[in-house]
Amino acid sequence: MNVYESMPTAQLDEAIRQLEEQAAQIKARGLSLDMARGKPSPEQTDLSRPMLDLLTSATELSDQGAPADNYGIPDGLPSARQLAADLLGVDAANVVVNGSSSLNLMHDAVCNAYTHGIGGNAPWCQQGEVKFLCPSPGYDRHFAVSARYGIKNVPIAMTPTGPDMDEVERLVQTDPTVKGIWCVPKYANPTGISYSAQTVRRFAALKPAAPDFRIFWDNAYIVHDLYDEGDELLNIFDALAEAGTTDLVYEFASTAKVTFPSSGMAFVAASPADIAELRAAFAVMRVSPEKLTQLMHVRFLPSVDAIKAHMRKHAAVVRPRFELVQRKLEEGLADAGVATWTKPRGGYFVSFDGPEGSAKRIVALMKELGVTLTGAGATWPYGQDPHDTNIRIAPTYPSLEQLGEALDVFVVATRLVSAKLAREARQA
Ligand SMILES: Cc1ncc(COP(=O)(O)O)c(C=O)c1O
């Protein structure tokens, strides 16, 4: 129950006065804090510095006979493809490791479908209106990729077990203009939820109305567990095999938040036919991948076990920050009944929902009080959160001390905006 809505007016006015006083005191401190950036902290990137010592002028620059010091090997070094395949649980023959950004691969896959089509079908650009389903709140950069090609982004509700699959099935299976869906199946950005086995199976069993529909399965947080016991995600390619479906999924991931963002290895897996098509497109888009980076990575992290051990070191840095978010929000807001927030067991974000019509005002007030948050609405297609409730909290980058300060300000801002909304509703 929203305490401000049930307070007598005189008491509500007094609560607002006190909160405004607290806000003024915060403002006078001249803070400059940032809770917007979903990127690893310096302590985390430092964990991968030893990797930089593994390549020297004396290093043999090849991998299983494949040269790393020259053009060629367009699908990536053999060990890099094997590592990516082991991580995704697929056959290395169906994996391409290329570039340092998985988002770049997603973009190029969309671009290729738009200009050249998928599986012999007409390019999307020649098919009139085409649509992508966008589970929301979701990742703004996904939505930006499809929007850039004039694809209509259609929001789909998120539930605690994944996107609303009744709606996904209804749209994908009846509307041939629906060509894709953006999915972050494990520790989704920003809700942190992982898709249930049933959700994964329902995705794998889809019978799209469009033959050139693909699921963009962005497994960005595949190994980003906060606890030894992480969320279990059913392997989408196993589910596809079970359902007897093929040519339905492009799966992406990268080591961006394992080693160094923007200097890692990115990869994509798909069915034999789909990967052949992507490989042909990439062959025109790129000469060959960054094989020195790949060599460094496979020497530093030669197996999935090595990656998991490395990620436990990340978790030791990140977990206290996520736990601080929970503690501060619980202590500061639970009794007010004005907000809900997710409690992820991995990934990079906490998704926060305040009262209807509050998100933009909270983010603006936070800015005034010296704390930058991700823009309200960013988690929805076209920046339009229909109820203006959602705020993405990114706890990894600030120090624990800065994060604690930023969250204290967030509590005051949320309370003040909520109290004012309750008061304005009474005036209306
Ligand atoms: C869901 C998701 N996918 C992809 C990325 C970017 O990954 P990369 O650096 O490999 O392009 C991010 C970064 O925040 C993300 O949250």
Side-chain angles (χ1 to χ4, degrees):
M1 194 188 56
N2 182 329
V3 289
Y4 298 116
E5 283 172 0
S6 51
M7 258 180 200
T9 302
Q11 200 186 336
L12 179 56
D13 286 341
E14 174 56 17
I16 291 172
R17 196 195 58 73
Q18 284 179 15
L19 286 162
E20 276 177 335
E21 209 171 278
Q22 285 179 42
Q25 281 164 9
I26 292 168
K27 196 168 172 181
R29 287 165 63 198
L31 296 174
S32 176
L33 301 167
D34 195 329
M35 241 190 342
R37 292 174 290 187
K39 58 188 200 181
S41 61
E43 287 157 273
Q44 289 175 268
T45 50
D46 279 353
L47 295 170
S48 297
R49 280 177 175 267
M51 180 173 80
L52 304 176
D53 299 330
L54 298 181
L55 286 198
T56 70
S57 59
T59 305
E60 161 87 45
L61 297 179
S62 69
D63 172 63
Q64 299 179 33
D69 60 347
N70 217 319
Y71 287 133
I73 324 294
D75 296 340
L77 290 176
S79 301
R81 284 179 86 191
Q82 192 58 54
L83 183 64
D86 291 346
L87 202 57
L88 302 181
V90 298
D91 185 339
N94 298 328
V95 176
V96 170
V97 185
N98 200 322
S100 61
S101 157
S102 58
L103 190 76
N104 185 211
L105 298 180
M106 291 174 233
H107 170 273
D108 289 352
V110 168
C111 176
N112 183 55
Y114 188 77
T115 57
H116 287 74
I118 292 179
N121 293 281
W124 291 349
C125 67
Q126 292 172 7
Q127 294 194 38
E129 181 174 78
V130 295
K131 302 188 192 109
F132 256 55
L133 305 185
C134 300
S136 302
Y139 180 36
D140 53 349
R141 288 179 185 269
H142 282 162
F143 305 160
V145 168
S146 35
R148 184 151 206 270
Y149 288 88
I151 296 168
K152 187 171 177 202
N153 284 333
V154 179
I156 296 288
M158 278 295 278
T159 78
T161 54
D164 175 348
M165 289 310 292
D166 290 341
E167 193 60 0
V168 170
E169 284 166 356
R170 189 180 70 75
L171 291 167
V172 171
Q173 299 186 157
T174 61
D175 183 350
T177 69
V178 174
K179 301 298 186 188
I181 180 166
W182 292 115
C183 292
V184 183
K186 191 169 172 189
Y187 305 132
N189 176 352
T191 59
I193 70 116
S194 300
Y195 295 8
S196 69
Q198 200 201 7
T199 297
V200 177
R201 288 201 173 94
R202 286 176 76 176
F203 267 111
L206 283 174
K207 303 269 177 285
D212 49 353
F213 167 88
R214 292 294 181 275
I215 299 167
F216 285 67
W217 198 254
D218 177 5
N219 217 338
Y221 300 109
I222 184 169
V223 282
H224 301 64
D225 305 310
L226 290 176
Y227 299 92
D228 286 345
E229 206 138 295
D231 288 359
E232 283 293 329
L233 177 72
L234 187 65
N235 181 332
I236 185 72
F237 285 98
D238 289 350
L240 288 168
E242 219 180 86
T245 316
T246 189
D247 304 344
L248 185 64
V249 173
Y250 297 152
E251 181 170 16
F252 303 89
S254 79
T255 63
K257 288 166 184 163
V258 175
T259 55
F260 296 106
S262 84
S263 298
M265 306 195 302
F267 30 98
V268 53
S271 70
D274 279 348
I275 204 76
E277 200 164 73
L278 289 176
R279 186 183 283 132
F282 292 172
V284 180
M285 295 172 179
R286 316 161 149 78
V287 177
S288 63
E290 297 84 339
K291 296 186 295 297
L292 292 181
T293 300
Q294 295 181 7
L295 195 60
M296 224 189 292
H297 275 76
V298 294
R299 291 195 179 169
F300 185 53
L301 301 169
S303 64
V304 171
D305 280 347
I307 292 180
K308 287 189 173 159
H310 186 66
M311 292 312 290
R312 280 197 285 278
K313 296 182 193 164
H314 277 273
V317 177
V318 174
R319 196 170 46 238
R321 288 168 167 79
F322 273 77
E323 290 179 348
L324 184 63
V325 172
Q326 296 301 329
R327 188 160 57 76
K328 289 281 185 185
L329 295 183
E330 193 64 36
E331 287 172 4
L333 289 174
D335 66 315
V338 295
T340 57
W341 56 91
T342 56
K343 299 178 177 56
R345 296 179 56 78
Y348 261 63
F349 304 101
V350 172
S351 178
F352 177 94
D353 282 290
E356 178 123 3
S358 66
K360 282 202 175 76
R361 286 172 68 168
I362 293 172
V363 172
L365 177 57
M366 289 290 282
K367 184 96 206 148
E368 238 180 82
L369 302 184
V371 184
T372 306
L373 288 174
T374 308
T379 53
W380 285 76
Y382 311 111
Q384 285 164 11
D385 174 354
H387 298 285
D388 187 25
T389 61
N390 189 249
I391 293 173
R392 184 178 87 165
I393 296 176
T396 55
Y397 192 77
S399 67
L400 263 181
E401 195 193 342
Q402 291 168 333
L403 181 65
E405 268 189 305
L407 288 161
D408 288 339
V409 180
F410 186 67
V411 163
V412 172
T414 301
R415 280 186 172 268
L416 180 51
V417 170
S418 304
K420 283 186 167 173
L421 281 168
R423 187 68 179 86
E424 287 160 21
R426 226 162 274 191
Q427 274 157 347

